PDB file of all heavy atoms in Angstrom:
ATOM      1  N   ASN A  23     -28.759  19.768  -0.700  1.00 96.00           N
ATOM      2  CA  ASN A  23     -28.939  18.479  -0.044  1.00 96.00           C
ATOM      3  C   ASN A  23     -28.128  18.388   1.240  1.00 96.00           C
ATOM      4  O   ASN A  23     -28.554  17.751   2.202  1.00 96.00           O
ATOM      5  CB  ASN A  23     -28.593  17.347  -1.008  1.00 96.00           C
ATOM      6  CG  ASN A  23     -29.673  17.143  -2.048  1.00 96.00           C
ATOM      7  OD1 ASN A  23     -30.824  17.533  -1.834  1.00 96.00           O
ATOM      8  ND2 ASN A  23     -29.324  16.549  -3.178  1.00 96.00           N
ATOM      9  N   THR A  52     -25.925   8.613  -1.694  1.00 96.00           N
ATOM     10  CA  THR A  52     -25.767  10.054  -1.586  1.00 96.00           C
ATOM     11  C   THR A  52     -25.476  10.462  -0.151  1.00 96.00           C
ATOM     12  O   THR A  52     -24.627  11.333   0.108  1.00 96.00           O
ATOM     13  CB  THR A  52     -27.042  10.753  -2.085  1.00 96.00           C
ATOM     14  OG1 THR A  52     -27.293  10.317  -3.406  1.00 96.00           O
ATOM     15  CG2 THR A  52     -26.883  12.241  -2.068  1.00 96.00           C
ATOM     16  N   ARG A  77     -30.298  -7.553  15.616  1.00 82.00           N
ATOM     17  CA  ARG A  77     -29.152  -8.145  14.938  1.00 82.00           C
ATOM     18  C   ARG A  77     -28.807  -7.348  13.693  1.00 82.00           C
ATOM     19  O   ARG A  77     -29.493  -6.395  13.353  1.00 82.00           O
ATOM     20  CB  ARG A  77     -29.390  -9.613  14.647  1.00 82.00           C
ATOM     21  CG  ARG A  77     -30.460  -9.953  13.699  1.00 82.00           C
ATOM     22  CD  ARG A  77     -30.360 -11.465  13.479  1.00 82.00           C
ATOM     23  NE  ARG A  77     -31.582 -12.032  13.003  1.00 82.00           N
ATOM     24  CZ  ARG A  77     -31.695 -13.330  12.761  1.00 82.00           C
ATOM     25  NH1 ARG A  77     -30.690 -14.150  13.005  1.00 82.00           N
ATOM     26  NH2 ARG A  77     -32.820 -13.819  12.301  1.00 82.00           N
TER      27      ARG A  77
ATOM     28  P    DT C  24     -25.887  15.123  -4.619  1.00 95.63           P
ATOM     29  OP1  DT C  24     -26.860  15.943  -3.885  1.00 95.63           O
ATOM     30  OP2  DT C  24     -24.780  14.455  -3.916  1.00 95.63           O
ATOM     31  O5'  DT C  24     -26.675  14.026  -5.446  1.00 95.63           O
ATOM     32  C5'  DT C  24     -27.709  14.433  -6.342  1.00 95.63           C
ATOM     33  C4'  DT C  24     -28.358  13.207  -6.951  1.00 95.63           C
ATOM     34  O4'  DT C  24     -27.401  12.571  -7.852  1.00 95.63           O
ATOM     35  C3'  DT C  24     -28.769  12.139  -5.942  1.00 95.63           C
ATOM     36  O3'  DT C  24     -30.123  11.774  -6.164  1.00 95.63           O
ATOM     37  C2'  DT C  24     -27.812  10.984  -6.188  1.00 95.63           C
ATOM     38  C1'  DT C  24     -27.397  11.183  -7.635  1.00 95.63           C
ATOM     39  N1   DT C  24     -26.018  10.705  -7.943  1.00 95.63           N
ATOM     40  C2   DT C  24     -25.831   9.786  -8.956  1.00 95.63           C
ATOM     41  O2   DT C  24     -26.733   9.336  -9.618  1.00 95.63           O
ATOM     42  N3   DT C  24     -24.522   9.406  -9.144  1.00 95.63           N
ATOM     43  C4   DT C  24     -23.405   9.850  -8.453  1.00 95.63           C
ATOM     44  O4   DT C  24     -22.285   9.436  -8.711  1.00 95.63           O
ATOM     45  C5   DT C  24     -23.685  10.802  -7.411  1.00 95.63           C
ATOM     46  C7   DT C  24     -22.547  11.352  -6.593  1.00 95.63           C
ATOM     47  C6   DT C  24     -24.954  11.187  -7.203  1.00 95.63           C
ATOM     48  P    DC C  25     -30.827  10.729  -5.232  1.00 95.63           P
ATOM     49  OP1  DC C  25     -32.263  11.072  -5.196  1.00 95.63           O
ATOM     50  OP2  DC C  25     -30.065  10.593  -3.978  1.00 95.63           O
ATOM     51  O5'  DC C  25     -30.662   9.370  -6.055  1.00 95.63           O
ATOM     52  C5'  DC C  25     -31.031   9.358  -7.430  1.00 95.63           C
ATOM     53  C4'  DC C  25     -30.813   7.964  -8.005  1.00 95.63           C
ATOM     54  O4'  DC C  25     -29.407   7.801  -8.312  1.00 95.63           O
ATOM     55  C3'  DC C  25     -31.188   6.844  -7.036  1.00 95.63           C
ATOM     56  O3'  DC C  25     -32.060   5.932  -7.664  1.00 95.63           O
ATOM     57  C2'  DC C  25     -29.855   6.200  -6.669  1.00 95.63           C
ATOM     58  C1'  DC C  25     -28.977   6.547  -7.859  1.00 95.63           C
ATOM     59  N1   DC C  25     -27.534   6.691  -7.513  1.00 95.63           N
ATOM     60  C2   DC C  25     -26.564   6.019  -8.263  1.00 95.63           C
ATOM     61  O2   DC C  25     -26.922   5.312  -9.200  1.00 95.63           O
ATOM     62  N3   DC C  25     -25.261   6.166  -7.933  1.00 95.63           N
ATOM     63  C4   DC C  25     -24.915   6.944  -6.913  1.00 95.63           C
ATOM     64  N4   DC C  25     -23.605   7.065  -6.630  1.00 95.63           N
ATOM     65  C5   DC C  25     -25.883   7.644  -6.136  1.00 95.63           C
ATOM     66  C6   DC C  25     -27.173   7.488  -6.463  1.00 95.63           C
ATOM     67  P    DA C  34     -25.076  -8.918  19.253  1.00 95.63           P
ATOM     68  OP1  DA C  34     -25.657  -8.175  20.381  1.00 95.63           O
ATOM     69  OP2  DA C  34     -23.936  -9.828  19.471  1.00 95.63           O
ATOM     70  O5'  DA C  34     -26.237  -9.756  18.554  1.00 95.63           O
ATOM     71  C5'  DA C  34     -27.423  -9.090  18.120  1.00 95.63           C
ATOM     72  C4'  DA C  34     -28.440 -10.115  17.667  1.00 95.63           C
ATOM     73  O4'  DA C  34     -27.944 -10.779  16.469  1.00 95.63           O
ATOM     74  C3'  DA C  34     -28.747 -11.222  18.667  1.00 95.63           C
ATOM     75  O3'  DA C  34     -30.139 -11.505  18.630  1.00 95.63           O
ATOM     76  C2'  DA C  34     -27.898 -12.395  18.193  1.00 95.63           C
ATOM     77  C1'  DA C  34     -27.863 -12.181  16.681  1.00 95.63           C
ATOM     78  N9   DA C  34     -26.614 -12.630  16.037  1.00 95.63           N
ATOM     79  C8   DA C  34     -25.344 -12.332  16.430  1.00 95.63           C
ATOM     80  N7   DA C  34     -24.424 -12.860  15.653  1.00 95.63           N
ATOM     81  C5   DA C  34     -25.145 -13.538  14.687  1.00 95.63           C
ATOM     82  C6   DA C  34     -24.750 -14.298  13.583  1.00 95.63           C
ATOM     83  N6   DA C  34     -23.475 -14.504  13.231  1.00 95.63           N
ATOM     84  N1   DA C  34     -25.720 -14.834  12.818  1.00 95.63           N
ATOM     85  C2   DA C  34     -27.001 -14.628  13.157  1.00 95.63           C
ATOM     86  N3   DA C  34     -27.488 -13.922  14.178  1.00 95.63           N
ATOM     87  C4   DA C  34     -26.492 -13.403  14.910  1.00 95.63           C
TER      88       DA C  34
END
Side-chain angles (χ1 to χ4, degrees):
Chain A
N23 285 338
T52 304
R77 65 174 158 180

